[in-house]
Amino acid sequence: MKIVSGTAAETYDVVVVGSGAGALTAGATAARAGKSVIILEKSDLLGGTSAVSGGMLWVADNHHAREAGIADSKAAAAEYVRAVARGRGREELLDAALNYGDQMLQFVEDECGVRFIFLDNFPDYRQDLPGALDGGRTIEPELFNSGDALGSLTAHVRTDRRAPFTMQEYEAWGAFTKFPWAELDQRQKDGFVAKGQALVSMLLASLVRSGAALATGARGHRLVTDGGRVTGVELETGEIIRANDGVVLATGGFEWDKALADSMLASRLYTMCSPPSNTGDGLRMSQRIGGQTRGTREAWWAPMSVTGDTRDGQPIGTLLRFERQGPGSIMVNRHGRRFANESQNYNDLARCLQSWDSAANQTLNTPAHVIVDHAYMERYGILAHRAGQPTPAYLTEAGTLEELAAKINVPARNLVETVARFNGFAAKGEDPDFGRGESAYDKYWGDADNAYPNPSLAPLQTGPFYAMEVVNGAFGTNGGIATDGLARVLDVDNRPIEGLFAAGNTTESAYAAGYPGAGATLGPIMTMGYLAGRTIAGQDPAYVPGSMAGGNHAAELVGA
């Protein structure tokens, strides 16, 4: 174990295992109440999956929306989430996420100095369901000067290695060919970070100001108990860290334990983009003392391609956004046919990749491929590849659609017919087969400068043509430890285990199988972390601005 900030001790009031946004929110909340806190991170880098995420939060009926005059309510959000979650999930967790989401948001802004950008026009993912809004529930962190705020600690924070741009900028610019790369290079030189790294860096800055200890290389192994109460954590090394008031498990999902993932998840997971340290440690620690397990069939599903990227030395998947949503792209299955609206949200599109063909005893739609033409490549490129560069290994290139079909092993006649049918409708700005380009969400991710009537649609006409394989991936699993609405871990008889709390992907998701909008991962995760910190500190879950010891800390944020 290496203490990278704060003071080493044998005992703290609160011991937090993990260092993602849920863990850091729990620690920061307890620390602002005057509790001594240590954050234990298994890997050499702080931040977990949150640090390599988009950093967005989905918070219904938030104060930013109210100030902007956007009509929202917790009742409408609850109706929407229940529909998105397909009737699954526990009302207690849903109520906690919706009732205290804005409380958490105000707390981290007022007391921890976290700064957000309000996205008033970012649509919920399922515009066809009751209670959906076309904007106002998603926020994201502002750019943050990590160098000024954290100094040498910045080197211990996980990064996604991307240039520092906000998701708002990404959506405005669209394809990477439109990015102001010189400006982004300068931001990076000046010490700015963005997205998930900005979020965890702001939370870390709050913990540093509060005197919390931050440790890396500290893998939790077992929970220490005394008379049924959890009193500490035994590390893999045998060292024991004692907790006076509580232990919070927030170690991420179990997606990198292949045996565990194969035995629990509803569908085969082919790749992921989270840190390889997510191997279910917190889940096992809880199970060893009788903790209840729920919701382990689900993950934050997403269509991905394997392009050679790595994280901590392990191959990871790359999320496909504009590559499949930009006008002039389609996705076909192993039969050379379109099978879904390519522009829909990644979670639902990935579920289409999981469809099973019982007659053939294999997945119905995989292997799948994104198909684009040379005109698309010249306008937008594909990921880091640009027209005129040598074709990378993750792309298949051919002069004609028939040649491309042979190379990716799909029926040539089907592919040619599919593209011809799509082209005829795309030129008119419509998609009667799958409704692509009809919803506000589809249009939001299209290209406003598209030469054709619909920002989501354009024909594929100019060779050479390109194909990129798409597989079922995930940001991480989102089931595991069962908690109540105050983030207390439940035993198999639904009784809280004294002294033990949990938050994040190591727990059952508050939205069950649902993915209501951008930030639906971090919104409830940070809310449950906040509730854990408040509960441990003996405080009412409802936050009253200015009520914490020492008053409002927003002005303390360094480098804002």
Side-chain angles (χ1 to χ4, degrees):
M1 181 175 77
K2 178 181 179 181
I3 300 290
V4 295
S5 183
T7 304
E10 294 181 357
T11 303
Y12 298 84
D13 293 330
V14 182
V15 176
V16 181
V17 190
S19 67
L24 299 180
T25 302
T29 304
R32 286 293 298 127
K35 299 295 183 180
S36 61
V37 174
I38 186 170
I39 304 293
L40 301 175
E41 167 54 44
K42 170 184 179 179
S43 74
D44 294 331
L45 296 169
L46 299 161
T49 305
S50 303
V52 294
S53 74
M56 306 173 99
L57 280 68
W58 192 86
V59 181
D61 193 23
N62 64 73
H63 61 281
H64 294 289
R66 291 193 294 273
E67 291 165 3
I70 294 175
D72 191 11
S73 69
K74 293 179 178 62
E79 179 185 29
Y80 173 60
V81 173
R82 289 190 191 101
V84 174
R86 300 164 177 81
R88 298 173 62 185
R90 283 190 290 138
E91 288 295 307
E92 182 178 15
L93 297 183
L94 173 60
D95 289 346
L98 295 182
N99 290 336
Y100 295 108
D102 193 45
Q103 303 281 337
M104 174 277 296
L105 194 58
Q106 291 184 72
F107 177 88
V108 297
E109 289 175 324
D110 293 348
E111 302 296 336
C112 303
V114 181
R115 290 288 174 268
F116 293 105
I117 299 168
F118 175 56
L119 304 177
D120 61 351
N121 65 338
F122 199 121
D124 288 339
Y125 284 173
R126 292 294 303 274
Q127 292 290 299
D128 58 316
L129 296 178
L133 291 184
D134 59 7
R137 288 172 173 163
T138 294
I139 60 173
E140 70 164 316
E142 291 183 356
L143 293 170
F144 182 68
N145 196 313
S146 178
D148 285 352
L150 297 179
S152 61
L153 185 60
T154 300
H156 298 283
V157 181
R158 186 174 291 282
T159 175
D160 62 9
R161 301 194 297 270
R162 291 180 290 179
F165 55 85
T166 67
M167 292 302 292
Q168 184 182 56
E169 290 173 326
Y170 179 25
E171 290 136 20
W173 298 330
F176 290 125
T177 52
K178 299 182 179 181
F179 278 40
W181 292 108
E183 177 185 339
L184 297 179
D185 288 344
Q186 189 58 51
R187 283 183 190 175
Q188 201 156 38
K189 292 175 183 176
D190 291 340
F192 283 94
V193 296
K195 302 180 287 295
Q197 188 181 356
L199 179 64
V200 300
S201 295
M202 292 185 217
L203 290 169
L204 285 168
S206 176
L207 283 159
V208 170
R209 291 193 299 271
S210 294
L214 307 173
T216 59
R219 182 179 186 178
H221 179 57
R222 293 184 184 275
L223 294 167
V224 179
T225 60
D226 183 3
R229 176 184 175 82
V230 174
T231 59
V233 175
E234 179 185 341
L235 303 184
E236 189 176 41
T237 59
E239 184 178 357
I240 293 176
I241 310 296
R242 301 283 179 183
N244 291 327
D245 299 317
V247 170
V248 181
L249 297 176
T251 59
F254 56 84
E255 63 273 11
W256 281 91
D257 186 319
K258 188 177 186 303
L260 200 58
D262 283 349
S263 68
M264 289 189 169
L265 292 176
S267 180
R268 171 63 60 85
L269 179 59
Y270 288 91
T271 189
M272 43 270 176
C273 57
S274 58
S277 52
N278 290 354
T279 55
D281 294 350
L283 176 59
R284 291 187 180 87
M285 292 168 69
S286 173
Q287 288 177 325
R288 288 189 183 106
I289 65 167
Q292 185 181 156
T293 301
R294 283 179 175 265
T296 56
R297 289 170 55 82
E298 291 298 333
W300 303 113
W301 305 110
M304 295 184 178
S305 286
V306 179
T307 63
D309 286 347
T310 61
R311 180 155 289 133
D312 296 355
Q314 296 297 317
I316 59 171
T318 299
L319 171 66
L320 301 183
R321 284 186 181 270
F322 193 84
E323 295 75 27
R324 60 179 172 82
Q325 295 171 309
S329 66
I330 63 169
M331 189 180 295
V332 300
N333 60 16
R334 59 189 175 90
H335 302 295
R337 302 289 193 190
R338 291 180 68 217
F339 58 92
N341 171 5
E342 298 92 343
S343 289
Q344 68 182 300
N345 73 83
Y346 39 79
N347 189 259
D348 286 329
L349 180 56
R351 291 178 187 279
C352 297
L353 296 172
Q354 300 169 11
S355 302
W356 189 258
D357 184 345
S358 56
N361 195 32
Q362 60 183 312
T363 53
L364 181 64
N365 291 320
T366 54
H369 289 85
V370 166
I371 310 291
V372 303
D373 70 352
H374 192 66
Y376 180 102
M377 190 68 72
E378 288 186 319
R379 288 195 305 271
Y380 307 124
I382 287 281
L383 299 175
H385 178 64
R386 301 290 177 266
Q389 297 176 343
T391 304
Y394 60 81
L395 284 181
T396 301
E397 178 183 352
T400 66
L401 288 171
E402 290 86 351
E403 292 172 4
L404 188 69
K407 288 186 176 182
I408 63 174
N409 196 30
V410 303
R413 179 177 177 179
N414 289 357
L415 182 60
V416 171
E417 290 177 351
T418 295
V419 171
R421 178 176 175 83
F422 176 83
N423 286 352
F425 290 119
K428 296 185 289 184
E430 56 190 40
D431 177 23
D433 293 330
F434 297 102
R436 178 173 171 179
E438 293 179 3
S439 76
Y441 178 82
D442 290 6
K443 290 183 174 69
Y444 187 84
W445 279 102
D447 181 3
D449 298 327
N450 183 25
Y452 293 88
N454 193 309
S456 299
L457 299 168
L460 291 73
Q461 299 170 318
T462 309
F465 297 89
Y466 304 85
M468 179 167 60
E469 187 173 359
V470 184
V471 298
N472 184 42
F475 304 144
T477 58
N478 63 357
I481 301 171
T483 71
D484 66 7
L486 294 175
R488 299 179 297 184
V489 174
L490 301 174
D491 67 14
V492 293
D493 295 313
N494 285 322
R495 298 173 303 195
I497 298 175
E498 193 175 358
L500 185 60
F501 303 79
N505 284 348
T506 197
T507 69
E508 176 188 10
S509 170
Y511 299 151
Y515 208 135
T521 53
L522 290 176
I525 281 173
M526 288 178 62
T527 300
M528 296 306 288
Y530 162 81
L531 289 169
R534 297 285 284 190
T535 305
I536 292 172
Q539 296 177 322
D540 190 286
Y543 168 66
V544 178
S547 63
M548 301 294 289
N552 188 302
H553 266 215
E556 293 184 9
L557 180 60
V558 179

